[in-house]
Amino acid sequence: MKYLFGADIGGTTVKLGLFSEAGDILDKWEIRTDRSNGGENVPADVVKAVNDKITEKNIDRKDVLGLGVGVPGPIKADGTVLKCANLGWGIFNVTDKFTELLGLPVKAGNDANVAALGEMWKGGGMGYQDIVMVTLGTGVGGGVILDGRIRAGEHGGAGEIGHIRVNENETRLCGCGGHGHLEQYASATGVAYLGTEAAKKNPDSLLAKEPAISAKTVFDCAKKGDKVALQVVDDMCEMLVIALSHVAATVDPQCFVIGGGVSKAGDILVDTLKKHYGKNMLNALQTTEIKLATLGNDAGIYGCARMVLDGAK
Amino acid sequence: MKYLFGADIGGTTVKLGLFSEAGDILDKWEIRTDRSNGGENVPADVVKAVNDKITEKNIDRKDVLGLGVGVPGPIKADGTVLKCANLGWGIFNVTDKFTELLGLPVKAGNDANVAALGEMWKGGGMGYQDIVMVTLGTGVGGGVILDGRIRAGEHGGAGEIGHIRVNENETRLCGCGGHGHLEQYASATGVAYLGTEAAKKNPDSLLAKEPAISAKTVFDCAKKGDKVALQVVDDMCEMLVIALSHVAATVDPQCFVIGGGVSKAGDILVDTLKKHYGKNMLNALQTTEIKLATLGNDAGIYGCARMVLDGAK
């Protein structure tokens, strides 16, 4: 039996997974991310965690195919990180560093991209090899998988779907300094903002009676039939569809996979997206599949492990 | 010496080229496109043209690596054409049909995509392997080349950049039925429209004194310093940059290559695009190169020949 390791490095914890070559998860665990001294201990900590697991499970090192590493920032196809503000890392080659420490093959990718790869392999995008995943969390991330591999992009910026401008009339600023970006509408923060504004204008709505308005309360009220909340969901999905239509006109994927905390809303999200999808697009592009992600927070470790099998571009 | 053939099939003529394996053009010629009976004679006519050239040049058949075919419509990676309204073709596999008739390896691709591949190989995108070409002609076409290969897309719709919506406030309809699409501003027709409208509002401008306003007159007047024409060029480039920014956020290419008749305007076009490029985009994506296409109408035959070397995805 051959083994794969995945390590999805976040600002607070590193999620780790041990997989069979076929993609069955055999073990998963976490370690704390040590951000002291510009995150310099992170590579050694991760490698130690992997080595400890090899020992604990009594695995023969020659049966380990390698380690995939996900990092929270832009990373080029050759493994060079450009900036990981969350970790304090400067510019260096992650693949080289981890390979040197571990002595086994290592592949590295951006966290949103590895999550997309994980969903393609064992999640909502299973059965496809060309998918685009959109992660609706605090922000909006994205990952583009073409021919079964991560598309990193020349500047590590492929799949930055959250910063596609979807509303040129928007005056509010996005976190990145732009305005009218998808993230301002489709992130958890964005949905909460839209919900709060709608509640102010409609004090008699179910939504307005909520003590605090989050993305979850917006979707919960919508499911109860509150027209104001339903309109917020509709508006948010319309913005998301605008971005998806731009992505489709560029790479024409087989399937969009929607993940992140907001996607826990479930079918209402996919149904509303499908209602709008196809508007204002060429006929040829109107039939792309839209599915929910299924791996949750484990998508990253799955994708990390998968990178070892395929390499990443 | 090994040889490659390229055949770029258009609605009126088929452009053909004979190339060395290294991409030197050895001969080029044209035949008429016979659209009678749903274009059924086109494959045999093209194959005859290739066979005649092999005989004429006294080439040993075993030295011919193959034929690349460009078709004016969406085509899937496996060679299936979905619709070629210009030719009258129904759904069939172009690669299989031509291979059967020619008895040599055949690859097929969409005409805008093969032009992009040609520009990557021997034109404005030389030296890069990830380029996106935008062809500003009667309409606006596009081609996405990743890792040196055509990205066709699940429905043959990758690179349909002309139908990215760039102005949600537009009321005029695009040819495809949508509204506010790039093609309405950045095609030759689009620039002429913008120029005509601007001239009406500014009867004292140099542009308004032109007997007929085309994209060329708009650029010519702009080069002479006419403020009204300069504003039209600026507006058109701003729309084009919006679409390019969506493309960059999706695939993050190394270089954009601008071709088609409108691109004959030259440096003023690239300079104005560069002035706007980067606005409202993530920092990481702001440094993508923008270049003019250099192969003109030959881009297609170059790209067709190149497909034979690399295959197409």
PDB file of all heavy atoms in Angstrom, chain B residues 260-297:
ATOM      1  N   GLY B 260      -6.579  41.351 -34.971  1.00  0.00           N
ATOM      2  CA  GLY B 260      -7.763  41.724 -35.742  1.00  0.00           C
ATOM      3  C   GLY B 260      -7.576  43.087 -36.398  1.00  0.00           C
ATOM      4  O   GLY B 260      -6.634  43.817 -36.071  1.00  0.00           O
ATOM      5  N   GLY B 261      -8.494  43.426 -37.290  1.00  0.00           N
ATOM      6  CA  GLY B 261      -8.368  44.660 -38.061  1.00  0.00           C
ATOM      7  C   GLY B 261      -8.179  45.906 -37.214  1.00  0.00           C
ATOM      8  O   GLY B 261      -7.360  46.779 -37.538  1.00  0.00           O
ATOM      9  N   VAL B 262      -8.911  46.006 -36.099  1.00  0.00           N
ATOM     10  CA  VAL B 262      -8.830  47.200 -35.254  1.00  0.00           C
ATOM     11  C   VAL B 262      -7.421  47.368 -34.682  1.00  0.00           C
ATOM     12  O   VAL B 262      -6.957  48.484 -34.457  1.00  0.00           O
ATOM     13  CB  VAL B 262      -9.881  47.143 -34.117  1.00  0.00           C
ATOM     14  CG1 VAL B 262      -9.737  48.310 -33.159  1.00  0.00           C
ATOM     15  CG2 VAL B 262     -11.304  47.099 -34.697  1.00  0.00           C
ATOM     16  N   SER B 263      -6.710  46.248 -34.515  1.00  0.00           N
ATOM     17  CA  SER B 263      -5.376  46.323 -33.902  1.00  0.00           C
ATOM     18  C   SER B 263      -4.343  46.960 -34.829  1.00  0.00           C
ATOM     19  O   SER B 263      -3.239  47.304 -34.407  1.00  0.00           O
ATOM     20  CB  SER B 263      -4.906  44.928 -33.467  1.00  0.00           C
ATOM     21  OG  SER B 263      -4.534  44.164 -34.589  1.00  0.00           O
ATOM     22  N   LYS B 264      -4.722  47.142 -36.104  1.00  0.00           N
ATOM     23  CA  LYS B 264      -3.816  47.847 -37.018  1.00  0.00           C
ATOM     24  C   LYS B 264      -3.598  49.292 -36.577  1.00  0.00           C
ATOM     25  O   LYS B 264      -2.671  49.966 -37.043  1.00  0.00           O
ATOM     26  CB  LYS B 264      -4.373  47.821 -38.452  1.00  0.00           C
ATOM     27  CG  LYS B 264      -4.302  46.430 -39.075  1.00  0.00           C
ATOM     28  CD  LYS B 264      -4.825  46.435 -40.502  1.00  0.00           C
ATOM     29  CE  LYS B 264      -4.885  44.998 -41.046  1.00  0.00           C
ATOM     30  NZ  LYS B 264      -5.837  44.869 -42.157  1.00  0.00           N
ATOM     31  N   ALA B 265      -4.451  49.790 -35.701  1.00  0.00           N
ATOM     32  CA  ALA B 265      -4.251  51.124 -35.130  1.00  0.00           C
ATOM     33  C   ALA B 265      -2.878  51.223 -34.462  1.00  0.00           C
ATOM     34  O   ALA B 265      -2.282  52.291 -34.385  1.00  0.00           O
ATOM     35  CB  ALA B 265      -5.365  51.435 -34.133  1.00  0.00           C
ATOM     36  N   GLY B 266      -2.370  50.094 -33.974  1.00  0.00           N
ATOM     37  CA  GLY B 266      -0.989  50.067 -33.476  1.00  0.00           C
ATOM     38  C   GLY B 266      -0.802  50.516 -32.047  1.00  0.00           C
ATOM     39  O   GLY B 266      -1.644  50.255 -31.179  1.00  0.00           O
ATOM     40  N   ASP B 267       0.306  51.232 -31.815  1.00  0.00           N
ATOM     41  CA  ASP B 267       0.740  51.552 -30.449  1.00  0.00           C
ATOM     42  C   ASP B 267      -0.302  52.313 -29.633  1.00  0.00           C
ATOM     43  O   ASP B 267      -0.395  52.133 -28.419  1.00  0.00           O
ATOM     44  CB  ASP B 267       2.039  52.375 -30.486  1.00  0.00           C
ATOM     45  CG  ASP B 267       3.212  51.524 -30.958  1.00  0.00           C
ATOM     46  OD1 ASP B 267       3.090  50.276 -30.919  1.00  0.00           O
ATOM     47  OD2 ASP B 267       4.235  52.096 -31.371  1.00  0.00           O
ATOM     48  N   ILE B 268      -1.069  53.183 -30.283  1.00  0.00           N
ATOM     49  CA  ILE B 268      -2.059  53.973 -29.541  1.00  0.00           C
ATOM     50  C   ILE B 268      -3.020  53.038 -28.789  1.00  0.00           C
ATOM     51  O   ILE B 268      -3.433  53.327 -27.661  1.00  0.00           O
ATOM     52  CB  ILE B 268      -2.840  54.931 -30.478  1.00  0.00           C
ATOM     53  CG1 ILE B 268      -3.778  55.849 -29.663  1.00  0.00           C
ATOM     54  CG2 ILE B 268      -3.607  54.179 -31.551  1.00  0.00           C
ATOM     55  CD1 ILE B 268      -4.497  56.898 -30.509  1.00  0.00           C
ATOM     56  N   LEU B 269      -3.307  51.901 -29.403  1.00  0.00           N
ATOM     57  CA  LEU B 269      -4.233  50.942 -28.796  1.00  0.00           C
ATOM     58  C   LEU B 269      -3.593  50.295 -27.569  1.00  0.00           C
ATOM     59  O   LEU B 269      -4.176  50.276 -26.479  1.00  0.00           O
ATOM     60  CB  LEU B 269      -4.624  49.891 -29.840  1.00  0.00           C
ATOM     61  CG  LEU B 269      -5.587  48.796 -29.414  1.00  0.00           C
ATOM     62  CD1 LEU B 269      -6.910  49.364 -28.927  1.00  0.00           C
ATOM     63  CD2 LEU B 269      -5.839  47.832 -30.578  1.00  0.00           C
ATOM     64  N   VAL B 270      -2.383  49.794 -27.736  1.00  0.00           N
ATOM     65  CA  VAL B 270      -1.694  49.143 -26.617  1.00  0.00           C
ATOM     66  C   VAL B 270      -1.396  50.153 -25.503  1.00  0.00           C
ATOM     67  O   VAL B 270      -1.587  49.856 -24.319  1.00  0.00           O
ATOM     68  CB  VAL B 270      -0.394  48.460 -27.099  1.00  0.00           C
ATOM     69  CG1 VAL B 270       0.453  48.015 -25.915  1.00  0.00           C
ATOM     70  CG2 VAL B 270      -0.730  47.255 -27.977  1.00  0.00           C
ATOM     71  N   ASP B 271      -0.982  51.346 -25.881  1.00  0.00           N
ATOM     72  CA  ASP B 271      -0.661  52.366 -24.867  1.00  0.00           C
ATOM     73  C   ASP B 271      -1.904  52.730 -24.053  1.00  0.00           C
ATOM     74  O   ASP B 271      -1.839  52.897 -22.833  1.00  0.00           O
ATOM     75  CB  ASP B 271      -0.083  53.621 -25.529  1.00  0.00           C
ATOM     76  CG  ASP B 271       1.298  53.354 -26.139  1.00  0.00           C
ATOM     77  OD1 ASP B 271       1.901  52.313 -25.800  1.00  0.00           O
ATOM     78  OD2 ASP B 271       1.757  54.172 -26.950  1.00  0.00           O
ATOM     79  N   THR B 272      -3.046  52.862 -24.723  1.00  0.00           N
ATOM     80  CA  THR B 272      -4.268  53.238 -24.015  1.00  0.00           C
ATOM     81  C   THR B 272      -4.756  52.081 -23.146  1.00  0.00           C
ATOM     82  O   THR B 272      -5.239  52.281 -22.029  1.00  0.00           O
ATOM     83  CB  THR B 272      -5.370  53.687 -25.011  1.00  0.00           C
ATOM     84  OG1 THR B 272      -4.798  54.581 -25.962  1.00  0.00           O
ATOM     85  CG2 THR B 272      -6.505  54.387 -24.287  1.00  0.00           C
ATOM     86  N   LEU B 273      -4.595  50.859 -23.642  1.00  0.00           N
ATOM     87  CA  LEU B 273      -4.949  49.691 -22.816  1.00  0.00           C
ATOM     88  C   LEU B 273      -4.082  49.645 -21.563  1.00  0.00           C
ATOM     89  O   LEU B 273      -4.579  49.438 -20.453  1.00  0.00           O
ATOM     90  CB  LEU B 273      -4.779  48.398 -23.611  1.00  0.00           C
ATOM     91  CG  LEU B 273      -5.814  48.122 -24.702  1.00  0.00           C
ATOM     92  CD1 LEU B 273      -5.399  46.923 -25.544  1.00  0.00           C
ATOM     93  CD2 LEU B 273      -7.200  47.905 -24.095  1.00  0.00           C
ATOM     94  N   LYS B 274      -2.789  49.871 -21.735  1.00  0.00           N
ATOM     95  CA  LYS B 274      -1.873  49.823 -20.582  1.00  0.00           C
ATOM     96  C   LYS B 274      -2.194  50.919 -19.567  1.00  0.00           C
ATOM     97  O   LYS B 274      -2.026  50.726 -18.369  1.00  0.00           O
ATOM     98  CB  LYS B 274      -0.411  49.936 -21.050  1.00  0.00           C
ATOM     99  CG  LYS B 274       0.094  48.656 -21.698  1.00  0.00           C
ATOM    100  CD  LYS B 274       1.579  48.759 -22.051  1.00  0.00           C
ATOM    101  CE  LYS B 274       2.087  47.414 -22.587  1.00  0.00           C
ATOM    102  NZ  LYS B 274       3.461  47.501 -23.128  1.00  0.00           N
ATOM    103  N   LYS B 275      -2.649  52.061 -20.063  1.00  0.00           N
ATOM    104  CA  LYS B 275      -3.032  53.169 -19.169  1.00  0.00           C
ATOM    105  C   LYS B 275      -4.159  52.733 -18.235  1.00  0.00           C
ATOM    106  O   LYS B 275      -4.156  53.051 -17.048  1.00  0.00           O
ATOM    107  CB  LYS B 275      -3.478  54.375 -20.017  1.00  0.00           C
ATOM    108  CG  LYS B 275      -3.751  55.633 -19.226  1.00  0.00           C
ATOM    109  CD  LYS B 275      -4.226  56.764 -20.128  1.00  0.00           C
ATOM    110  CE  LYS B 275      -5.733  56.871 -20.114  1.00  0.00           C
ATOM    111  NZ  LYS B 275      -6.269  57.965 -20.927  1.00  0.00           N
ATOM    112  N   HIS B 276      -5.111  51.987 -18.778  1.00  0.00           N
ATOM    113  CA  HIS B 276      -6.263  51.577 -17.962  1.00  0.00           C
ATOM    114  C   HIS B 276      -6.023  50.268 -17.217  1.00  0.00           C
ATOM    115  O   HIS B 276      -6.645  50.019 -16.190  1.00  0.00           O
ATOM    116  CB  HIS B 276      -7.513  51.418 -18.854  1.00  0.00           C
ATOM    117  CG  HIS B 276      -8.048  52.717 -19.334  1.00  0.00           C
ATOM    118  ND1 HIS B 276      -8.677  53.600 -18.495  1.00  0.00           N
ATOM    119  CD2 HIS B 276      -8.026  53.301 -20.551  1.00  0.00           C
ATOM    120  CE1 HIS B 276      -9.037  54.679 -19.178  1.00  0.00           C
ATOM    121  NE2 HIS B 276      -8.645  54.523 -20.431  1.00  0.00           N
ATOM    122  N   TYR B 277      -5.138  49.430 -17.767  1.00  0.00           N
ATOM    123  CA  TYR B 277      -4.971  48.085 -17.203  1.00  0.00           C
ATOM    124  C   TYR B 277      -4.471  48.164 -15.756  1.00  0.00           C
ATOM    125  O   TYR B 277      -3.561  48.922 -15.452  1.00  0.00           O
ATOM    126  CB  TYR B 277      -3.997  47.254 -18.042  1.00  0.00           C
ATOM    127  CG  TYR B 277      -4.087  45.780 -17.710  1.00  0.00           C
ATOM    128  CD1 TYR B 277      -5.094  44.996 -18.250  1.00  0.00           C
ATOM    129  CD2 TYR B 277      -3.198  45.196 -16.826  1.00  0.00           C
ATOM    130  CE1 TYR B 277      -5.208  43.656 -17.926  1.00  0.00           C
ATOM    131  CE2 TYR B 277      -3.300  43.859 -16.493  1.00  0.00           C
ATOM    132  CZ  TYR B 277      -4.311  43.090 -17.047  1.00  0.00           C
ATOM    133  OH  TYR B 277      -4.420  41.773 -16.712  1.00  0.00           O
ATOM    134  N   GLY B 278      -5.052  47.349 -14.912  1.00  0.00           N
ATOM    135  CA  GLY B 278      -4.625  47.353 -13.517  1.00  0.00           C
ATOM    136  C   GLY B 278      -5.635  48.021 -12.614  1.00  0.00           C
ATOM    137  O   GLY B 278      -5.725  47.706 -11.440  1.00  0.00           O
ATOM    138  N   LYS B 279      -6.429  48.920 -13.195  1.00  0.00           N
ATOM    139  CA  LYS B 279      -7.495  49.549 -12.409  1.00  0.00           C
ATOM    140  C   LYS B 279      -8.443  48.487 -11.902  1.00  0.00           C
ATOM    141  O   LYS B 279      -8.870  47.621 -12.673  1.00  0.00           O
ATOM    142  CB  LYS B 279      -8.323  50.493 -13.297  1.00  0.00           C
ATOM    143  CG  LYS B 279      -7.769  51.864 -13.466  1.00  0.00           C
ATOM    144  CD  LYS B 279      -8.779  52.709 -14.265  1.00  0.00           C
ATOM    145  CE  LYS B 279      -8.094  53.937 -14.842  1.00  0.00           C
ATOM    146  NZ  LYS B 279      -8.937  54.634 -15.816  1.00  0.00           N
ATOM    147  N   ASN B 280      -8.800  48.576 -10.643  1.00  0.00           N
ATOM    148  CA  ASN B 280      -9.842  47.703 -10.122  1.00  0.00           C
ATOM    149  C   ASN B 280      -9.462  46.227 -10.171  1.00  0.00           C
ATOM    150  O   ASN B 280     -10.311  45.352 -10.338  1.00  0.00           O
ATOM    151  CB  ASN B 280     -11.144  47.912 -10.924  1.00  0.00           C
ATOM    152  CG  ASN B 280     -12.303  48.110  -9.983  1.00  0.00           C
ATOM    153  OD1 ASN B 280     -12.536  47.268  -9.118  1.00  0.00           O
ATOM    154  ND2 ASN B 280     -12.969  49.226 -10.092  1.00  0.00           N
ATOM    155  N   MET B 281      -8.151  45.958 -10.066  1.00  0.00           N
ATOM    156  CA  MET B 281      -7.688  44.570 -10.063  1.00  0.00           C
ATOM    157  C   MET B 281      -6.768  44.345  -8.882  1.00  0.00           C
ATOM    158  O   MET B 281      -6.151  45.271  -8.373  1.00  0.00           O
ATOM    159  CB  MET B 281      -6.871  44.289 -11.321  1.00  0.00           C
ATOM    160  CG  MET B 281      -7.705  44.215 -12.571  1.00  0.00           C
ATOM    161  SD  MET B 281      -6.620  44.097 -13.980  1.00  0.00           S
ATOM    162  CE  MET B 281      -6.014  42.431 -13.746  1.00  0.00           C
ATOM    163  N   LEU B 282      -6.636  43.085  -8.508  1.00  0.00           N
ATOM    164  CA  LEU B 282      -5.663  42.725  -7.477  1.00  0.00           C
ATOM    165  C   LEU B 282      -4.256  43.088  -7.940  1.00  0.00           C
ATOM    166  O   LEU B 282      -3.932  42.952  -9.116  1.00  0.00           O
ATOM    167  CB  LEU B 282      -5.709  41.222  -7.215  1.00  0.00           C
ATOM    168  CG  LEU B 282      -6.899  40.695  -6.430  1.00  0.00           C
ATOM    169  CD1 LEU B 282      -6.704  39.210  -6.171  1.00  0.00           C
ATOM    170  CD2 LEU B 282      -7.066  41.428  -5.103  1.00  0.00           C
ATOM    171  N   ASN B 283      -3.427  43.513  -7.009  1.00  0.00           N
ATOM    172  CA  ASN B 283      -2.039  43.872  -7.331  1.00  0.00           C
ATOM    173  C   ASN B 283      -1.333  42.801  -8.141  1.00  0.00           C
ATOM    174  O   ASN B 283      -0.642  43.093  -9.104  1.00  0.00           O
ATOM    175  CB  ASN B 283      -1.230  44.088  -6.049  1.00  0.00           C
ATOM    176  CG  ASN B 283      -1.643  45.360  -5.334  1.00  0.00           C
ATOM    177  OD1 ASN B 283      -2.191  46.272  -5.964  1.00  0.00           O
ATOM    178  ND2 ASN B 283      -1.407  45.413  -4.042  1.00  0.00           N
ATOM    179  N   ALA B 284      -1.504  41.556  -7.701  1.00  0.00           N
ATOM    180  CA  ALA B 284      -0.772  40.446  -8.322  1.00  0.00           C
ATOM    181  C   ALA B 284      -1.029  40.362  -9.822  1.00  0.00           C
ATOM    182  O   ALA B 284      -0.181  39.891 -10.573  1.00  0.00           O
ATOM    183  CB  ALA B 284      -1.155  39.124  -7.661  1.00  0.00           C
ATOM    184  N   LEU B 285      -2.198  40.839 -10.245  1.00  0.00           N
ATOM    185  CA  LEU B 285      -2.607  40.660 -11.644  1.00  0.00           C
ATOM    186  C   LEU B 285      -2.321  41.882 -12.516  1.00  0.00           C
ATOM    187  O   LEU B 285      -2.629  41.894 -13.697  1.00  0.00           O
ATOM    188  CB  LEU B 285      -4.102  40.331 -11.701  1.00  0.00           C
ATOM    189  CG  LEU B 285      -4.510  39.023 -11.031  1.00  0.00           C
ATOM    190  CD1 LEU B 285      -6.009  38.941 -10.883  1.00  0.00           C
ATOM    191  CD2 LEU B 285      -3.990  37.838 -11.826  1.00  0.00           C
ATOM    192  N   GLN B 286      -1.728  42.916 -11.918  1.00  0.00           N
ATOM    193  CA  GLN B 286      -1.633  44.194 -12.628  1.00  0.00           C
ATOM    194  C   GLN B 286      -0.483  44.303 -13.618  1.00  0.00           C
ATOM    195  O   GLN B 286      -0.362  45.308 -14.318  1.00  0.00           O
ATOM    196  CB  GLN B 286      -1.562  45.340 -11.609  1.00  0.00           C
ATOM    197  CG  GLN B 286      -2.887  45.527 -10.886  1.00  0.00           C
ATOM    198  CD  GLN B 286      -2.824  46.601  -9.822  1.00  0.00           C
ATOM    199  OE1 GLN B 286      -1.801  47.258  -9.665  1.00  0.00           O
ATOM    200  NE2 GLN B 286      -3.905  46.778  -9.092  1.00  0.00           N
ATOM    201  N   THR B 287       0.379  43.285 -13.684  1.00  0.00           N
ATOM    202  CA  THR B 287       1.582  43.444 -14.507  1.00  0.00           C
ATOM    203  C   THR B 287       1.607  42.556 -15.754  1.00  0.00           C
ATOM    204  O   THR B 287       2.648  42.364 -16.366  1.00  0.00           O
ATOM    205  CB  THR B 287       2.840  43.133 -13.668  1.00  0.00           C
ATOM    206  OG1 THR B 287       2.716  41.794 -13.161  1.00  0.00           O
ATOM    207  CG2 THR B 287       2.977  44.087 -12.517  1.00  0.00           C
ATOM    208  N   THR B 288       0.444  42.039 -16.131  1.00  0.00           N
ATOM    209  CA  THR B 288       0.376  41.196 -17.328  1.00  0.00           C
ATOM    210  C   THR B 288       0.798  41.996 -18.567  1.00  0.00           C
ATOM    211  O   THR B 288       0.406  43.149 -18.729  1.00  0.00           O
ATOM    212  CB  THR B 288      -1.058  40.661 -17.502  1.00  0.00           C
ATOM    213  OG1 THR B 288      -1.501  40.143 -16.264  1.00  0.00           O
ATOM    214  CG2 THR B 288      -1.114  39.573 -18.557  1.00  0.00           C
ATOM    215  N   GLU B 289       1.590  41.376 -19.416  1.00  0.00           N
ATOM    216  CA  GLU B 289       2.066  42.031 -20.640  1.00  0.00           C
ATOM    217  C   GLU B 289       0.918  42.183 -21.643  1.00  0.00           C
ATOM    218  O   GLU B 289       0.029  41.334 -21.706  1.00  0.00           O
ATOM    219  CB  GLU B 289       3.191  41.161 -21.224  1.00  0.00           C
ATOM    220  CG  GLU B 289       3.977  41.808 -22.321  1.00  0.00           C
ATOM    221  CD  GLU B 289       4.652  43.104 -21.884  1.00  0.00           C
ATOM    222  OE1 GLU B 289       5.662  43.059 -21.161  1.00  0.00           O
ATOM    223  OE2 GLU B 289       4.145  44.166 -22.294  1.00  0.00           O
ATOM    224  N   ILE B 290       0.932  43.256 -22.413  1.00  0.00           N
ATOM    225  CA  ILE B 290      -0.046  43.454 -23.493  1.00  0.00           C
ATOM    226  C   ILE B 290       0.729  43.740 -24.777  1.00  0.00           C
ATOM    227  O   ILE B 290       1.548  44.664 -24.810  1.00  0.00           O
ATOM    228  CB  ILE B 290      -1.011  44.623 -23.195  1.00  0.00           C
ATOM    229  CG1 ILE B 290      -1.752  44.388 -21.867  1.00  0.00           C
ATOM    230  CG2 ILE B 290      -2.011  44.812 -24.341  1.00  0.00           C
ATOM    231  CD1 ILE B 290      -2.633  45.555 -21.431  1.00  0.00           C
ATOM    232  N   LYS B 291       0.491  42.954 -25.812  1.00  0.00           N
ATOM    233  CA  LYS B 291       1.241  43.113 -27.061  1.00  0.00           C
ATOM    234  C   LYS B 291       0.316  43.062 -28.270  1.00  0.00           C
ATOM    235  O   LYS B 291      -0.787  42.532 -28.192  1.00  0.00           O
ATOM    236  CB  LYS B 291       2.273  41.985 -27.202  1.00  0.00           C
ATOM    237  CG  LYS B 291       3.428  42.117 -26.203  1.00  0.00           C
ATOM    238  CD  LYS B 291       4.418  40.988 -26.346  1.00  0.00           C
ATOM    239  CE  LYS B 291       5.627  41.189 -25.472  1.00  0.00           C
ATOM    240  NZ  LYS B 291       6.660  42.016 -26.115  1.00  0.00           N
ATOM    241  N   LEU B 292       0.786  43.605 -29.378  1.00  0.00           N
ATOM    242  CA  LEU B 292       0.033  43.526 -30.626  1.00  0.00           C
ATOM    243  C   LEU B 292       0.331  42.211 -31.327  1.00  0.00           C
ATOM    244  O   LEU B 292       1.457  41.709 -31.280  1.00  0.00           O
ATOM    245  CB  LEU B 292       0.433  44.678 -31.555  1.00  0.00           C
ATOM    246  CG  LEU B 292      -0.044  46.075 -31.164  1.00  0.00           C
ATOM    247  CD1 LEU B 292       0.611  47.115 -32.066  1.00  0.00           C
ATOM    248  CD2 LEU B 292      -1.568  46.189 -31.240  1.00  0.00           C
ATOM    249  N   ALA B 293      -0.673  41.665 -31.988  1.00  0.00           N
ATOM    250  CA  ALA B 293      -0.467  40.501 -32.849  1.00  0.00           C
ATOM    251  C   ALA B 293       0.400  40.936 -34.033  1.00  0.00           C
ATOM    252  O   ALA B 293       0.411  42.112 -34.413  1.00  0.00           O
ATOM    253  CB  ALA B 293      -1.807  39.979 -33.341  1.00  0.00           C
ATOM    254  N   THR B 294       1.146  39.994 -34.598  1.00  0.00           N
ATOM    255  CA  THR B 294       2.039  40.367 -35.706  1.00  0.00           C
ATOM    256  C   THR B 294       1.799  39.554 -36.983  1.00  0.00           C
ATOM    257  O   THR B 294       2.339  39.896 -38.021  1.00  0.00           O
ATOM    258  CB  THR B 294       3.521  40.179 -35.303  1.00  0.00           C
ATOM    259  OG1 THR B 294       3.747  38.791 -35.028  1.00  0.00           O
ATOM    260  CG2 THR B 294       3.874  40.998 -34.079  1.00  0.00           C
ATOM    261  N   LEU B 295       1.013  38.509 -36.905  1.00  0.00           N
ATOM    262  CA  LEU B 295       0.886  37.609 -38.059  1.00  0.00           C
ATOM    263  C   LEU B 295      -0.286  37.939 -38.981  1.00  0.00           C
ATOM    264  O   LEU B 295      -0.405  37.343 -40.057  1.00  0.00           O
ATOM    265  CB  LEU B 295       0.759  36.153 -37.587  1.00  0.00           C
ATOM    266  CG  LEU B 295       1.929  35.598 -36.782  1.00  0.00           C
ATOM    267  CD1 LEU B 295       1.624  34.173 -36.328  1.00  0.00           C
ATOM    268  CD2 LEU B 295       3.220  35.627 -37.591  1.00  0.00           C
ATOM    269  N   GLY B 296      -1.134  38.877 -38.571  1.00  0.00           N
ATOM    270  CA  GLY B 296      -2.274  39.252 -39.408  1.00  0.00           C
ATOM    271  C   GLY B 296      -3.121  38.048 -39.771  1.00  0.00           C
ATOM    272  O   GLY B 296      -3.363  37.165 -38.927  1.00  0.00           O
ATOM    273  N   ASN B 297      -3.540  37.971 -41.023  1.00  0.00           N
ATOM    274  CA  ASN B 297      -4.425  36.883 -41.473  1.00  0.00           C
ATOM    275  C   ASN B 297      -3.734  35.527 -41.535  1.00  0.00           C
ATOM    276  O   ASN B 297      -4.390  34.511 -41.749  1.00  0.00           O
ATOM    277  CB  ASN B 297      -5.002  37.204 -42.858  1.00  0.00           C
ATOM    278  CG  ASN B 297      -6.009  38.333 -42.788  1.00  0.00           C
ATOM    279  OD1 ASN B 297      -6.631  38.548 -41.749  1.00  0.00           O
ATOM    280  ND2 ASN B 297      -6.149  39.069 -43.872  1.00  0.00           N
TER     281      ASN B 297
END
